[in-house]
Every structure is written in C-alpha cells, then in structure tokens.
Amino acid sequence: MNGFDFGGAFGARQPGQGSSSVGGGIWDAVDQLRDAFEQRFTPPRMARGDVRAAVLSLLAEKPMHGYQIIHEIEERSGGTWKPSPGSVYPTLQLLADEGLISATESAGKKTYSLTEAGRAAVDATEGRSAPWESPGAREAARATALPKAGAKLAQAAAQVASSGSPEQVQQAVEVLEEARRKLFSILAQD
C-alpha cells in the first residue's frame, strides 16, 4: 500500500456513516496526503543569521515594512522559506539598535531603511549570495515544488467532490486521469 488510508474517501460509505461523511472522508485523505508530503519533503531550516542577512539584503534594494520583508523572502525563496514575524521583527529591532537601519512611521506602519552604517555592512558582504540564493535553498525549492503542487491538486479535487454536481465530479475524474497519464509519460521520455 502507498501509506495513505483513502478508505471511504471517494464515495464508498463506511458502515454507520451517513451521506454527510463522504466530503469529510475526502478532506481527511487530503490532510493525510499533505501531512505525508510535509513529513517527507520539509525543507531544511534556515540558519539563525540568515534572517539578518536577508533583511539587510532586501533593505539594500529599497525601504520596506516588516510584512513586505516577510513576503519578499517567501517570494524569492520560491515559497520554501517564510520567516515568522517573531523572527523578523526582533531582527529589525536589533538592526536598529546597532544603528544599521532606521525606521520611519507613516499611517501606522514602520518602514525600515538602511543607514550609512547599514550600507557599509551590506557592502562588506558584497559577493556573497543572499540566503534564498544558497544551493541548499534552491535545492529545497525544487524538492518541495512537486509535493506542494500535488497537495493543491488534491485540495481542488476534494472541493469538487464535496460541492460539485455529479457532472462536475465526472469531469474532474477525467482531468485527474489525464494528468496521471501525462505524469507517467514524463517518466517514459527517457
């Protein structure tokens, strides 16, 4: 068996289950699939100093507020690294305390920018790649792209199964079967 318990997930009722449990079984299967992908393909954690390096690297390009920094790191890492506010905001405070960045407040948001000392610190690291450009980060992005796409596909299929008409469910089955065939044809191209 493949490690996934899809019993009853796609329409077969288990003893004692009513029709309302069919959708729940699908979502349980999607959760199992997602959990299996996350356990098997969890990217390595970034090193402690990587948040600092990433913040300085981004602020060298333009001033940003904290959530912009978080979003930009996530984008540039291909979604494999999304630092938490609990790691970014203390780093911003530390960099401000060190005199490497300054903050200006406008409309309730603090926008951070490099000071002259911050620019000198960034210039001193010239030639080093940003944390999201490291070989480990690129490899993690490649390793997690397919499982994430598979989990999103499973979520979409579960949504169609739980709220689609019988005709829509049949169309979805046909799309999934075609996708499965195309995936295997990729392996057959060797």
Side-chain angles (χ1 to χ4, degrees):
M1 188 68 173
N2 60 10
F4 301 110
D5 177 18
F6 293 108
F10 296 102
R13 291 189 191 144
Q14 298 298 315
Q17 290 181 331
S19 61
S20 64
S21 67
V22 172
I26 292 169
W27 288 110
D28 290 344
V30 169
D31 287 341
Q32 285 180 5
L33 184 65
R34 185 186 64 244
D35 291 346
F37 282 147
E38 287 173 356
Q39 288 173 6
R40 191 162 180 205
F41 297 103
T42 300
R45 293 183 61 89
M46 299 304 285
R48 190 175 295 259
D50 286 341
V51 173
R52 177 187 177 94
V55 168
L56 288 172
S57 179
L58 290 173
L59 293 179
E61 296 175 12
K62 67 179 182 179
M64 296 183 186
H65 59 76
Y67 278 99
Q68 282 177 303
I69 292 169
I70 292 168
H71 178 74
E72 197 63 33
I73 291 171
E74 182 181 23
E75 284 287 313
R76 293 184 187 204
S77 70
T80 61
W81 180 29
K82 183 179 180 183
S84 69
S87 63
V88 170
Y89 284 103
T91 300
L92 289 168
Q93 184 60 53
L94 180 64
L95 292 170
D97 292 347
E98 293 174 6
L100 299 177
I101 65 172
S102 62
T104 56
E105 191 164 339
S106 174
K109 286 187 179 180
K110 283 186 180 181
T111 301
Y112 300 90
S113 56
L114 291 179
T115 62
E116 289 302 316
R119 288 231 173 263
V122 169
D123 290 345
T125 63
E126 190 171 331
R128 292 186 198 161
S129 61
W132 54 82
E133 295 173 340
S134 70
R138 286 192 299 270
E139 186 61 34
R142 280 194 299 273
T144 59
L146 186 60
K148 283 184 177 184
K152 288 178 182 178
L153 179 63
Q155 288 173 329
Q159 185 67 42
V160 172
S162 67
S163 61
S165 69
E167 294 80 21
Q168 291 170 323
V169 169
Q170 183 55 43
Q171 287 176 329
V173 167
E174 292 168 9
V175 166
L176 291 174
E177 286 295 321
E178 177 64 18
R180 184 183 58 79
R181 283 190 293 276
K182 285 183 176 182
L183 287 171
F184 281 124
S185 74
I186 290 170
L187 292 175
Q189 292 174 7
D190 285 342

Short mmCIF file of all heavy atoms in Angstrom, two decimals, residues 80-148:
data_model
loop_
_atom_site.label_atom_id
_atom_site.label_comp_id
_atom_site.label_asym_id
_atom_site.label_seq_id
_atom_site.Cartn_x
_atom_site.Cartn_y
_atom_site.Cartn_z
N THR A 80 9.70 28.33 -0.08
CA THR A 80 10.26 27.36 0.85
C THR A 80 10.67 27.97 2.18
O THR A 80 10.88 27.25 3.14
CB THR A 80 11.49 26.65 0.25
OG1 THR A 80 12.49 27.63 -0.04
CG2 THR A 80 11.12 25.89 -1.01
N TRP A 81 10.80 29.29 2.22
CA TRP A 81 11.21 29.95 3.46
C TRP A 81 10.32 31.15 3.69
O TRP A 81 10.31 32.09 2.90
CB TRP A 81 12.67 30.37 3.37
CG TRP A 81 13.19 31.06 4.59
CD1 TRP A 81 12.79 30.90 5.88
CD2 TRP A 81 14.24 32.04 4.62
NE1 TRP A 81 13.52 31.70 6.71
CE2 TRP A 81 14.43 32.41 5.95
CE3 TRP A 81 15.03 32.63 3.64
CZ2 TRP A 81 15.37 33.35 6.35
CZ3 TRP A 81 15.98 33.56 4.04
CH2 TRP A 81 16.15 33.90 5.38
N LYS A 82 9.57 31.10 4.75
CA LYS A 82 8.74 32.24 5.15
C LYS A 82 9.02 32.49 6.62
O LYS A 82 8.44 31.84 7.50
CB LYS A 82 7.25 31.96 4.94
CG LYS A 82 6.39 33.15 5.29
CD LYS A 82 4.93 32.88 5.06
CE LYS A 82 4.11 34.11 5.42
NZ LYS A 82 2.68 33.84 5.28
N PRO A 83 9.96 33.41 6.89
CA PRO A 83 10.27 33.65 8.29
C PRO A 83 9.06 34.22 9.02
O PRO A 83 8.24 34.93 8.45
CB PRO A 83 11.42 34.66 8.24
CG PRO A 83 11.31 35.30 6.91
CD PRO A 83 10.69 34.30 5.99
N SER A 84 8.95 33.89 10.28
CA SER A 84 7.81 34.33 11.07
C SER A 84 8.02 35.78 11.51
O SER A 84 9.16 36.25 11.61
CB SER A 84 7.64 33.45 12.30
OG SER A 84 8.71 33.68 13.20
N PRO A 85 6.92 36.47 11.81
CA PRO A 85 7.06 37.81 12.39
C PRO A 85 7.89 37.78 13.67
O PRO A 85 8.62 38.73 13.97
CB PRO A 85 5.61 38.23 12.67
CG PRO A 85 4.80 37.45 11.70
CD PRO A 85 5.52 36.13 11.56
N GLY A 86 7.82 36.66 14.39
CA GLY A 86 8.59 36.51 15.63
C GLY A 86 10.09 36.41 15.42
O GLY A 86 10.85 36.51 16.37
N SER A 87 10.52 36.20 14.17
CA SER A 87 11.96 36.24 13.89
C SER A 87 12.35 37.52 13.14
O SER A 87 13.45 38.02 13.33
CB SER A 87 12.40 35.00 13.11
OG SER A 87 11.78 34.96 11.85
N VAL A 88 11.45 38.05 12.34
CA VAL A 88 11.78 39.25 11.55
C VAL A 88 11.76 40.51 12.41
O VAL A 88 12.71 41.30 12.39
CB VAL A 88 10.83 39.39 10.35
CG1 VAL A 88 11.00 40.74 9.66
CG2 VAL A 88 11.08 38.27 9.35
N TYR A 89 10.71 40.72 13.21
CA TYR A 89 10.61 41.97 13.96
C TYR A 89 11.70 42.12 15.03
O TYR A 89 12.28 43.21 15.16
CB TYR A 89 9.21 42.15 14.52
CG TYR A 89 8.25 42.58 13.43
CD1 TYR A 89 7.37 41.68 12.87
CD2 TYR A 89 8.28 43.87 12.93
CE1 TYR A 89 6.52 42.05 11.84
CE2 TYR A 89 7.43 44.27 11.89
CZ TYR A 89 6.55 43.35 11.36
OH TYR A 89 5.73 43.73 10.33
N PRO A 90 12.05 41.08 15.76
CA PRO A 90 13.19 41.24 16.68
C PRO A 90 14.50 41.52 15.93
O PRO A 90 15.35 42.27 16.42
CB PRO A 90 13.26 39.89 17.41
CG PRO A 90 11.87 39.36 17.34
CD PRO A 90 11.35 39.81 16.01
N THR A 91 14.66 40.93 14.76
CA THR A 91 15.85 41.21 13.95
C THR A 91 15.86 42.67 13.52
O THR A 91 16.92 43.33 13.58
CB THR A 91 15.90 40.28 12.71
OG1 THR A 91 15.94 38.93 13.16
CG2 THR A 91 17.10 40.58 11.84
N LEU A 92 14.71 43.19 13.11
CA LEU A 92 14.64 44.61 12.75
C LEU A 92 15.00 45.49 13.94
O LEU A 92 15.74 46.48 13.79
CB LEU A 92 13.24 44.95 12.22
CG LEU A 92 12.89 44.38 10.85
CD1 LEU A 92 11.40 44.52 10.56
CD2 LEU A 92 13.72 45.06 9.76
N GLN A 93 14.50 45.14 15.12
CA GLN A 93 14.80 45.93 16.32
C GLN A 93 16.30 45.87 16.63
O GLN A 93 16.91 46.88 16.97
CB GLN A 93 13.99 45.42 17.52
CG GLN A 93 14.18 46.25 18.77
CD GLN A 93 13.77 47.70 18.56
OE1 GLN A 93 12.66 47.98 18.13
NE2 GLN A 93 14.66 48.64 18.87
N LEU A 94 16.89 44.69 16.52
CA LEU A 94 18.32 44.53 16.78
C LEU A 94 19.14 45.36 15.80
O LEU A 94 20.10 46.04 16.18
CB LEU A 94 18.70 43.06 16.70
CG LEU A 94 20.17 42.72 16.94
CD1 LEU A 94 20.57 43.07 18.37
CD2 LEU A 94 20.41 41.25 16.67
N LEU A 95 18.77 45.29 14.51
CA LEU A 95 19.50 46.07 13.50
C LEU A 95 19.36 47.57 13.75
O LEU A 95 20.31 48.33 13.54
CB LEU A 95 19.00 45.71 12.10
CG LEU A 95 19.34 44.30 11.61
CD1 LEU A 95 18.59 43.98 10.33
CD2 LEU A 95 20.84 44.13 11.43
N ALA A 96 18.20 48.00 14.23
CA ALA A 96 18.00 49.42 14.57
C ALA A 96 18.87 49.78 15.78
O ALA A 96 19.51 50.85 15.80
CB ALA A 96 16.53 49.69 14.85
N ASP A 97 18.90 48.90 16.78
CA ASP A 97 19.72 49.15 17.96
C ASP A 97 21.20 49.25 17.61
O ASP A 97 21.96 49.99 18.23
CB ASP A 97 19.53 48.05 19.01
CG ASP A 97 18.14 48.07 19.64
OD1 ASP A 97 17.40 49.08 19.46
OD2 ASP A 97 17.78 47.06 20.30
N GLU A 98 21.62 48.48 16.60
CA GLU A 98 23.01 48.51 16.15
C GLU A 98 23.30 49.70 15.23
O GLU A 98 24.44 49.90 14.82
CB GLU A 98 23.34 47.21 15.41
CG GLU A 98 23.34 45.99 16.30
CD GLU A 98 23.53 44.70 15.51
OE1 GLU A 98 23.79 44.74 14.29
OE2 GLU A 98 23.42 43.63 16.12
N GLY A 99 22.27 50.44 14.87
CA GLY A 99 22.44 51.60 14.01
C GLY A 99 22.57 51.26 12.53
O GLY A 99 22.98 52.11 11.74
N LEU A 100 22.19 50.05 12.16
CA LEU A 100 22.31 49.65 10.75
C LEU A 100 21.08 50.00 9.94
O LEU A 100 21.16 50.11 8.71
CB LEU A 100 22.59 48.15 10.65
CG LEU A 100 23.89 47.67 11.31
CD1 LEU A 100 24.03 46.16 11.21
CD2 LEU A 100 25.09 48.37 10.71
N ILE A 101 19.94 50.15 10.60
CA ILE A 101 18.71 50.55 9.92
C ILE A 101 18.01 51.62 10.76
O ILE A 101 18.28 51.77 11.95
CB ILE A 101 17.74 49.37 9.67
CG1 ILE A 101 17.22 48.78 10.98
CG2 ILE A 101 18.40 48.30 8.81
CD1 ILE A 101 16.11 47.74 10.81
N SER A 102 17.14 52.34 10.11
CA SER A 102 16.29 53.31 10.81
C SER A 102 14.85 53.08 10.37
O SER A 102 14.60 52.50 9.31
CB SER A 102 16.72 54.74 10.51
OG SER A 102 16.58 55.01 9.13
N ALA A 103 13.93 53.53 11.20
CA ALA A 103 12.52 53.34 10.89
C ALA A 103 11.82 54.68 10.86
O ALA A 103 12.09 55.56 11.67
CB ALA A 103 11.87 52.45 11.95
N THR A 104 10.92 54.82 9.89
CA THR A 104 10.04 55.98 9.85
C THR A 104 8.61 55.45 9.88
O THR A 104 8.31 54.42 9.27
CB THR A 104 10.25 56.81 8.56
OG1 THR A 104 10.09 55.97 7.43
CG2 THR A 104 11.63 57.42 8.53
N GLU A 105 7.77 56.15 10.62
CA GLU A 105 6.39 55.68 10.76
C GLU A 105 5.47 56.56 9.94
O GLU A 105 5.55 57.78 9.97
CB GLU A 105 5.97 55.69 12.22
CG GLU A 105 4.65 54.97 12.44
CD GLU A 105 4.41 54.62 13.90
OE1 GLU A 105 5.36 54.57 14.67
OE2 GLU A 105 3.23 54.41 14.22
N SER A 106 4.59 55.90 9.18
CA SER A 106 3.61 56.60 8.37
C SER A 106 2.35 55.75 8.31
O SER A 106 2.43 54.56 7.98
CB SER A 106 4.17 56.84 6.96
OG SER A 106 3.18 57.41 6.14
N ALA A 107 1.23 56.33 8.62
CA ALA A 107 -0.06 55.65 8.60
C ALA A 107 -0.04 54.38 9.45
O ALA A 107 -0.60 53.36 9.08
CB ALA A 107 -0.48 55.33 7.16
N GLY A 108 0.65 54.45 10.56
CA GLY A 108 0.68 53.33 11.49
C GLY A 108 1.63 52.20 11.12
O GLY A 108 1.68 51.19 11.80
N LYS A 109 2.39 52.37 10.04
CA LYS A 109 3.35 51.34 9.62
C LYS A 109 4.76 51.90 9.71
O LYS A 109 5.01 53.03 9.29
CB LYS A 109 3.10 50.89 8.18
CG LYS A 109 1.90 50.02 7.99
CD LYS A 109 1.86 49.51 6.57
CE LYS A 109 0.66 48.59 6.38
NZ LYS A 109 0.58 48.08 5.03
N LYS A 110 5.66 51.07 10.21
CA LYS A 110 7.06 51.45 10.24
C LYS A 110 7.72 50.94 8.97
O LYS A 110 7.61 49.77 8.62
CB LYS A 110 7.78 50.81 11.44
CG LYS A 110 7.51 51.48 12.74
CD LYS A 110 8.39 50.87 13.83
CE LYS A 110 8.12 51.55 15.15
NZ LYS A 110 9.00 50.97 16.21
N THR A 111 8.38 51.83 8.28
CA THR A 111 9.14 51.48 7.09
C THR A 111 10.62 51.58 7.46
O THR A 111 11.06 52.60 8.00
CB THR A 111 8.81 52.40 5.91
OG1 THR A 111 7.41 52.30 5.64
CG2 THR A 111 9.59 52.03 4.67
N TYR A 112 11.35 50.52 7.16
CA TYR A 112 12.75 50.43 7.54
C TYR A 112 13.63 50.69 6.33
O TYR A 112 13.32 50.29 5.21
CB TYR A 112 13.06 49.04 8.11
CG TYR A 112 12.24 48.73 9.33
CD1 TYR A 112 11.01 48.10 9.22
CD2 TYR A 112 12.70 49.08 10.59
CE1 TYR A 112 10.24 47.83 10.34
CE2 TYR A 112 11.94 48.80 11.72
CZ TYR A 112 10.71 48.18 11.59
OH TYR A 112 9.95 47.91 12.70
N SER A 113 14.75 51.37 6.58
CA SER A 113 15.72 51.60 5.51
C SER A 113 17.12 51.54 6.12
O SER A 113 17.29 51.69 7.33
CB SER A 113 15.48 52.95 4.84
OG SER A 113 15.50 53.99 5.79
N LEU A 114 18.09 51.31 5.27
CA LEU A 114 19.47 51.22 5.73
C LEU A 114 20.01 52.60 6.09
O LEU A 114 19.70 53.60 5.43
CB LEU A 114 20.37 50.62 4.64
CG LEU A 114 20.19 49.15 4.29
CD1 LEU A 114 21.15 48.75 3.18
CD2 LEU A 114 20.40 48.27 5.51
N THR A 115 20.84 52.64 7.11
CA THR A 115 21.59 53.85 7.44
C THR A 115 22.92 53.76 6.68
O THR A 115 23.20 52.76 5.99
CB THR A 115 21.87 53.90 8.95
OG1 THR A 115 22.66 52.77 9.31
CG2 THR A 115 20.58 53.93 9.76
N GLU A 116 23.76 54.78 6.83
CA GLU A 116 25.09 54.72 6.20
C GLU A 116 25.87 53.53 6.74
O GLU A 116 26.55 52.83 5.98
CB GLU A 116 25.85 56.04 6.43
CG GLU A 116 25.29 57.20 5.63
CD GLU A 116 25.30 56.94 4.13
OE1 GLU A 116 26.31 56.42 3.59
OE2 GLU A 116 24.29 57.25 3.47
N ALA A 117 25.77 53.28 8.05
CA ALA A 117 26.46 52.13 8.64
C ALA A 117 25.89 50.82 8.08
O ALA A 117 26.64 49.86 7.85
CB ALA A 117 26.32 52.16 10.16
N GLY A 118 24.61 50.80 7.83
CA GLY A 118 23.98 49.61 7.24
C GLY A 118 24.47 49.37 5.83
O GLY A 118 24.73 48.23 5.43
N ARG A 119 24.60 50.46 5.06
CA ARG A 119 25.11 50.32 3.68
C ARG A 119 26.54 49.79 3.70
O ARG A 119 26.90 48.94 2.88
CB ARG A 119 25.10 51.67 2.96
CG ARG A 119 23.73 52.11 2.60
CD ARG A 119 23.65 52.49 1.12
NE ARG A 119 22.24 52.73 0.87
CZ ARG A 119 21.42 51.84 0.34
NH1 ARG A 119 21.87 50.68 -0.02
NH2 ARG A 119 20.16 52.12 0.16
N ALA A 120 27.33 50.28 4.65
CA ALA A 120 28.72 49.80 4.76
C ALA A 120 28.74 48.31 5.12
O ALA A 120 29.56 47.56 4.59
CB ALA A 120 29.47 50.62 5.81
N ALA A 121 27.83 47.89 6.00
CA ALA A 121 27.76 46.47 6.38
C ALA A 121 27.37 45.61 5.18
O ALA A 121 27.92 44.52 4.99
CB ALA A 121 26.77 46.28 7.52
N VAL A 122 26.41 46.08 4.38
CA VAL A 122 26.00 45.33 3.19
C VAL A 122 27.13 45.29 2.17
O VAL A 122 27.42 44.25 1.58
CB VAL A 122 24.71 45.94 2.57
CG1 VAL A 122 24.44 45.35 1.20
CG2 VAL A 122 23.53 45.73 3.51
N ASP A 123 27.82 46.43 1.98
CA ASP A 123 28.93 46.48 1.03
C ASP A 123 30.04 45.53 1.45
O ASP A 123 30.71 44.95 0.59
CB ASP A 123 29.47 47.91 0.91
CG ASP A 123 28.49 48.84 0.19
OD1 ASP A 123 27.54 48.33 -0.46
OD2 ASP A 123 28.66 50.07 0.31
N ALA A 124 30.23 45.34 2.75
CA ALA A 124 31.28 44.45 3.25
C ALA A 124 30.98 42.99 2.91
O ALA A 124 31.89 42.16 2.90
CB ALA A 124 31.45 44.61 4.75
N THR A 125 29.72 42.69 2.64
CA THR A 125 29.35 41.30 2.30
C THR A 125 29.16 41.12 0.80
O THR A 125 28.63 40.09 0.37
CB THR A 125 28.05 40.89 3.03
OG1 THR A 125 26.98 41.73 2.58
CG2 THR A 125 28.21 40.98 4.54
N GLU A 126 29.58 42.10 0.02
CA GLU A 126 29.40 42.02 -1.43
C GLU A 126 30.08 40.76 -1.97
O GLU A 126 31.14 40.37 -1.54
CB GLU A 126 30.01 43.25 -2.12
CG GLU A 126 29.63 43.33 -3.58
CD GLU A 126 30.05 44.66 -4.19
OE1 GLU A 126 30.11 45.66 -3.46
OE2 GLU A 126 30.30 44.66 -5.39
N GLY A 127 29.40 40.11 -2.89
CA GLY A 127 29.90 38.88 -3.47
C GLY A 127 29.28 37.64 -2.83
O GLY A 127 29.31 36.57 -3.41
N ARG A 128 28.71 37.79 -1.64
CA ARG A 128 28.02 36.66 -1.00
C ARG A 128 26.59 36.63 -1.53
O ARG A 128 25.97 37.65 -1.74
CB ARG A 128 27.97 36.83 0.51
CG ARG A 128 29.31 36.72 1.17
CD ARG A 128 29.14 36.76 2.67
NE ARG A 128 30.41 37.07 3.31
CZ ARG A 128 30.53 37.53 4.53
NH1 ARG A 128 29.47 37.73 5.27
NH2 ARG A 128 31.71 37.79 5.03
N SER A 129 26.09 35.43 -1.71
CA SER A 129 24.71 35.31 -2.20
C SER A 129 23.74 35.53 -1.04
O SER A 129 24.07 35.28 0.12
CB SER A 129 24.49 33.95 -2.85
OG SER A 129 24.70 32.92 -1.92
N ALA A 130 22.57 35.98 -1.39
CA ALA A 130 21.51 36.15 -0.39
C ALA A 130 21.11 34.76 0.12
O ALA A 130 21.26 33.77 -0.60
CB ALA A 130 20.32 36.85 -1.02
N PRO A 131 20.60 34.67 1.34
CA PRO A 131 20.26 33.36 1.90
C PRO A 131 19.33 32.52 1.02
O PRO A 131 19.47 31.30 0.95
CB PRO A 131 19.59 33.69 3.23
CG PRO A 131 20.13 35.02 3.60
CD PRO A 131 20.37 35.74 2.30
N TRP A 132 18.40 33.15 0.32
CA TRP A 132 17.47 32.40 -0.52
C TRP A 132 18.12 31.94 -1.82
O TRP A 132 17.55 31.16 -2.55
CB TRP A 132 16.20 33.21 -0.82
CG TRP A 132 16.50 34.54 -1.41
CD1 TRP A 132 16.78 34.82 -2.71
CD2 TRP A 132 16.56 35.77 -0.71
NE1 TRP A 132 17.02 36.16 -2.86
CE2 TRP A 132 16.88 36.77 -1.65
CE3 TRP A 132 16.38 36.15 0.62
CZ2 TRP A 132 17.03 38.11 -1.30
CZ3 TRP A 132 16.52 37.48 0.96
CH2 TRP A 132 16.84 38.43 0.00
N GLU A 133 19.34 32.41 -2.11
CA GLU A 133 20.05 32.01 -3.32
C GLU A 133 21.07 30.91 -3.07
O GLU A 133 21.71 30.44 -3.99
CB GLU A 133 20.78 33.22 -3.92
CG GLU A 133 19.85 34.30 -4.41
CD GLU A 133 20.59 35.55 -4.83
OE1 GLU A 133 21.76 35.76 -4.42
OE2 GLU A 133 20.00 36.34 -5.56
N SER A 134 21.21 30.47 -1.82
CA SER A 134 22.20 29.45 -1.49
C SER A 134 21.82 28.14 -2.17
O SER A 134 20.65 27.88 -2.44
CB SER A 134 22.28 29.25 0.02
OG SER A 134 21.10 28.63 0.49
N PRO A 135 22.81 27.28 -2.44
CA PRO A 135 22.49 25.99 -3.08
C PRO A 135 21.46 25.19 -2.29
O PRO A 135 20.58 24.57 -2.87
CB PRO A 135 23.85 25.28 -3.13
CG PRO A 135 24.86 26.37 -3.11
CD PRO A 135 24.24 27.47 -2.27
N GLY A 136 21.55 25.20 -0.98
CA GLY A 136 20.57 24.46 -0.15
C GLY A 136 19.17 25.00 -0.32
O GLY A 136 18.20 24.23 -0.39
N ALA A 137 19.03 26.31 -0.41
CA ALA A 137 17.70 26.92 -0.57
C ALA A 137 17.13 26.60 -1.95
O ALA A 137 15.94 26.31 -2.08
CB ALA A 137 17.77 28.42 -0.36
N ARG A 138 17.98 26.65 -2.98
CA ARG A 138 17.49 26.32 -4.33
C ARG A 138 17.08 24.85 -4.41
O ARG A 138 16.08 24.51 -5.03
CB ARG A 138 18.56 26.65 -5.37
CG ARG A 138 18.72 28.14 -5.62
CD ARG A 138 19.56 28.41 -6.85
NE ARG A 138 20.90 27.88 -6.77
CZ ARG A 138 21.96 28.54 -6.29
NH1 ARG A 138 21.80 29.77 -5.86
NH2 ARG A 138 23.15 27.99 -6.25
N GLU A 139 17.86 23.98 -3.79
CA GLU A 139 17.53 22.55 -3.79
C GLU A 139 16.22 22.31 -3.04
O GLU A 139 15.39 21.52 -3.47
CB GLU A 139 18.67 21.74 -3.17
CG GLU A 139 18.47 20.26 -3.25
CD GLU A 139 18.39 19.74 -4.67
OE1 GLU A 139 19.05 20.28 -5.57
OE2 GLU A 139 17.63 18.77 -4.90
N ALA A 140 16.04 23.01 -1.92
CA ALA A 140 14.80 22.86 -1.15
C ALA A 140 13.60 23.31 -1.97
O ALA A 140 12.54 22.68 -1.94
CB ALA A 140 14.87 23.66 0.15
N ALA A 141 13.75 24.39 -2.74
CA ALA A 141 12.65 24.87 -3.57
C ALA A 141 12.27 23.83 -4.63
O ALA A 141 11.10 23.56 -4.86
CB ALA A 141 13.02 26.18 -4.25
N ARG A 142 13.28 23.22 -5.23
CA ARG A 142 13.00 22.18 -6.24
C ARG A 142 12.36 20.95 -5.59
O ARG A 142 11.46 20.34 -6.15
CB ARG A 142 14.27 21.79 -6.97
CG ARG A 142 14.67 22.75 -8.06
CD ARG A 142 15.74 22.15 -8.97
NE ARG A 142 16.96 21.84 -8.26
CZ ARG A 142 17.96 22.70 -8.05
NH1 ARG A 142 17.86 23.92 -8.52
NH2 ARG A 142 19.04 22.34 -7.41
N ALA A 143 12.84 20.58 -4.41
CA ALA A 143 12.35 19.36 -3.75
C ALA A 143 10.91 19.50 -3.26
O ALA A 143 10.21 18.51 -3.15
CB ALA A 143 13.26 19.00 -2.58
N THR A 144 10.48 20.71 -2.98
CA THR A 144 9.13 20.88 -2.43
C THR A 144 8.10 21.32 -3.47
O THR A 144 6.91 21.29 -3.19
CB THR A 144 9.13 21.91 -1.28
OG1 THR A 144 9.62 23.16 -1.77
CG2 THR A 144 9.99 21.43 -0.12
N ALA A 145 8.53 21.72 -4.65
CA ALA A 145 7.59 22.25 -5.64
C ALA A 145 6.56 21.20 -6.06
O ALA A 145 5.35 21.48 -6.10
CB ALA A 145 8.34 22.77 -6.87
N LEU A 146 6.99 20.00 -6.39
CA LEU A 146 6.06 18.97 -6.85
C LEU A 146 5.11 18.52 -5.75
O LEU A 146 3.90 18.45 -5.98
CB LEU A 146 6.83 17.78 -7.45
CG LEU A 146 5.97 16.70 -8.08
CD1 LEU A 146 5.14 17.25 -9.23
CD2 LEU A 146 6.86 15.56 -8.59
N PRO A 147 5.60 18.23 -4.54
CA PRO A 147 4.65 17.85 -3.48
C PRO A 147 3.62 18.95 -3.18
O PRO A 147 2.45 18.66 -2.95
CB PRO A 147 5.55 17.59 -2.27
CG PRO A 147 6.86 17.25 -2.85
CD PRO A 147 6.98 18.04 -4.12
N LYS A 148 4.06 20.21 -3.20
CA LYS A 148 3.10 21.30 -2.94
C LYS A 148 2.05 21.36 -4.04
O LYS A 148 0.86 21.55 -3.76
CB LYS A 148 3.83 22.64 -2.83
CG LYS A 148 4.53 22.83 -1.52
CD LYS A 148 5.16 24.20 -1.44
CE LYS A 148 5.81 24.41 -0.09
NZ LYS A 148 6.34 25.76 0.06
#
